[in-house]
Structure formats: C-alpha cells, structure tokens
Amino acid sequence: MIIEPANLEALNKQYPDGVPAEALFEAVNYQHPTVSLGSIMRDWRECGGWSLTETAKKLGISKQFLSEYERGHKLPSVKKVIEMATTFGVDPALWLS
C-alpha cells in the first residue's frame, strides 16, 4: 500500500484526530478480499513512515518478533494488538473485527 505524502498530509488535515482506516483504504484504492492482521499492522507502520526497528522499540518487542507478527508467522495477544493499535493511533476495534 503506497500513499503519496501530499495525499497523506491532506488526510491528516481532514482527520486531525486520526485517519479512519476506511478513508486510508479508499485513498489508496485498497481492495483486498481478505486482509490479515499482520498485513494491517505492516500497512499502518509503513504509512506512518516507521521502520521495523523503530516500531519494535516503541512496542517493547524485538524486531524479529514484530516481523513474525507482520508476516503472520505469530499471532499477537489481544493485549498486544490493543497496545499496537493505540501506538499507531488506531481504534483497536478496527484490527480486532
């Protein structure tokens, strides 16, 4: 998922309290019938411009562990999903539905 910086800036201005997932997906014409939790996590991280290392550090986990989450090799606990979503400024319900 790639979004131009100008488009992301416009979305951030339109939604100062956080860009809803639906608006972000619409902005990049994202249409995938099945979306895994790991790919959602990776997409939000990349949209925020955060590196794997930087994000893992913020979450208090190893880079390798975060990578395994994003690739779907490991499934984070509900508590960790809520912590990650909150770190990204996302309503955890969007990730857990």
Side-chain angles (χ1 to χ4, degrees), residues 5-89:
N7 293 343
L8 185 56
E9 186 176 323
L11 283 173
N12 285 326
K13 284 181 182 177
Q14 185 177 355
Y15 300 100
D17 294 328
V19 180
E22 302 83 25
L24 183 62
F25 291 155
E26 184 178 318
V28 296
N29 196 26
Y30 190 73
Q31 297 174 358
H32 193 282
T34 56
V35 179
S36 71
L37 176 59
S39 67
I40 290 170
M41 292 165 43
R42 183 187 60 244
D43 289 346
W44 277 98
R45 177 180 60 77
E46 289 176 349
C47 280
W50 295 7
S51 70
L52 199 63
T53 302
E54 173 185 20
T55 305
K57 186 174 181 179
K58 287 180 186 226
L59 296 170
I61 59 176
S62 72
K63 177 178 142 181
Q64 292 79 14
F65 215 70
L66 179 57
S67 176
E68 294 210 4
Y69 285 164
E70 290 185 358
R71 291 181 289 141
H73 294 182
K74 291 192 185 273
L75 190 61
S77 67
V78 171
K79 182 179 178 182
K80 188 53 81 175
V81 171
I82 292 169
E83 181 184 337
M84 288 180 193
T86 302
T87 298
F88 293 129

